[in-house]
Amino acid sequence: MLNIEEIYKDAGAYLEGHFLLSSGKHSQYYLQSAKVLENPKTAELLAKALAEMIQKSGIEIDTVCSPALGGILAGYELARALGARFIFTERVEKVMTLRRGFEVQPGEKILICEDIITTGGSALEAAKAVEALGGEVVAYAALANRGFCKREGSDKEAKPECKLPGNVPFFALDDFEFEIYEPQNCPLCREGSEAYKPGSRGN
Ligand code: ZN
């Protein structure tokens, strides 16, 4: 069994600070998956472990689809490990869209892959984009679960913030559970520091 926390820490991808997340919430920790996936060998190792879990479930996947930008590396490696096709969605004027000539056939079995699933908002938007074209979303996957959604094989229930549909399996290698705060309730803000977007200060 892979130790995901150790892999993130070893890669310098488990950051401590005062972060503004894409959801608008604040957190003391941030997982910078790009730092883990900058090593293709590590990316391959993680994707193979995830593919094994999915294959054991018996769910067949034609295509892996990731929301840009965060999910692309993880999704591409997972598609390779599954022997599946890979496509990605991207936002056009805030709407998650399939571009670049990517097509989806009616009934095509699609897995939506992210690097990390927090509430699953972007993953769900990507799912809607491929479903609108007739694709069938049969699973979700991420390298790690931030602890809001219920992953396969875990006895921890989903929290109300989780946006993934409960009737579609979600595969992840491990859970990371650290607190996120509404800005008005953030203890780091109360101590006087300012939240910043990960990546904006060289991380
Ligand atoms: Zn804060």
Side-chain angles (χ1 to χ4, degrees):
M1 186 69 197
L2 294 170
N3 185 330
I4 304 302
E5 186 171 324
E6 205 170 277
I7 289 171
Y8 270 73
K9 283 183 173 164
D10 286 351
Y14 193 106
L15 307 177
E16 190 171 356
H18 182 188
F19 300 107
L20 172 60
L21 306 176
S22 56
S23 59
K25 295 184 175 162
H26 294 185
S27 173
Q28 188 173 1
Y29 299 99
Y30 184 77
L31 300 168
Q32 183 54 277
S33 297
K35 279 295 287 175
V36 171
L37 300 172
E38 74 178 8
N39 183 341
K41 286 272 179 232
T42 309
E44 184 183 13
L45 187 77
L46 293 169
K48 275 189 175 163
L50 194 53
E52 217 167 275
M53 289 174 70
I54 295 160
Q55 281 161 337
K56 268 188 198 156
S57 77
I59 296 172
E60 279 181 35
I61 311 289
D62 297 320
T63 298
V64 175
C65 176
S66 291
L69 182 69
I72 290 181
L73 293 173
Y76 188 83
E77 282 297 328
L78 180 61
R80 188 207 302 275
L82 288 170
R85 187 167 79 94
F86 176 76
I87 58 177
F88 61 88
T89 61
E90 53 203 302
R91 282 184 211 281
V92 180
E93 285 165 5
K94 294 186 179 167
V95 181
M96 204 65 98
T97 311
L98 209 58
R99 300 180 72 192
R100 302 173 197 264
F102 288 144
E103 289 173 356
V104 170
Q105 303 303 322
E108 189 169 337
K109 297 192 183 331
I110 298 177
L111 175 147
I112 306 290
C113 183
E114 270 280 23
D115 51 353
I116 306 282
I117 290 272
T118 304
T119 62
S122 302
L124 188 66
E125 286 177 61
K128 284 185 175 156
V130 296
E131 280 172 349
L133 299 170
E136 188 190 342
V137 175
V138 293
Y140 292 87
L143 300 178
N145 174 28
R146 276 286 306 270
F148 292 93
C149 296
K150 179 176 168 56
R151 70 182 168 93
E152 289 294 300
S154 165
D155 48 12
K156 289 178 186 142
E157 290 303 319
K159 293 182 181 162
E161 292 93 337
C162 180
K163 295 191 175 107
L164 298 185
N167 59 345
V168 180
F170 163 43
F171 298 92
L173 294 170
D174 206 351
D175 294 319
F176 278 103
E177 293 191 62
F178 34 76
E179 301 246 5
I180 59 174
Y181 311 101
E182 297 292 344
Q184 61 270 25
N185 298 327
C186 174
L188 303 160
C189 283
R190 234 173 284 144
E191 286 168 16
S193 72
E194 209 172 302
Y196 58 95
K197 269 192 164 170
S200 61
R201 292 186 186 175
N203 55 16

